Amino acid sequence: MKHLLWPASFRRIGLPLFRPVDGHDVITLVKTLRSVLALNTCSILHILTKKGKGCAFAENDEEKGHGVAPLM
């Protein structure tokens, strides 16, 4: 239910909301970013990405393929 309410919250305060864009589709992402920039105002842009996309070992093991090693 929450996911249905938050877009209306941004619209209610006057912020343009750009629906989810595939963050791995560079051409569409750039076009969308240009549209957002052309508005010259605060906006909300929802970008979806897959952790480790394009890196085989990270795609196969999300926990090992991403993050920071312990300091000690």
Side-chain angles (χ1 to χ4, degrees):
M1 181 76 168
K2 183 179 178 181
H3 67 282
L4 297 174
L5 298 177
W6 71 268
S9 300
F10 292 121
R11 279 192 224 97
R12 216 175 299 128
I13 59 174
L15 290 177
L17 174 63
F18 288 79
R19 291 315 212 135
V21 176
D22 179 356
H24 302 290
D25 180 352
V26 177
I27 293 171
T28 300
L29 182 58
V30 169
K31 286 178 183 177
T32 304
L33 287 168
R34 285 186 176 145
S35 297
V36 171
L37 287 171
L39 293 175
N40 201 28
T41 188
C42 293
S43 303
I44 303 295
L45 173 57
H46 187 176
I47 301 172
L48 299 174
T49 59
K50 182 177 188 277
K51 189 176 187 179
K53 176 86 174 177
C55 184
F57 71 87
E59 285 184 24
N60 294 333
D61 188 343
E62 291 183 2
E63 293 303 315
K64 287 186 180 178
H66 188 78
V68 182
L71 294 175
M72 302 212 176

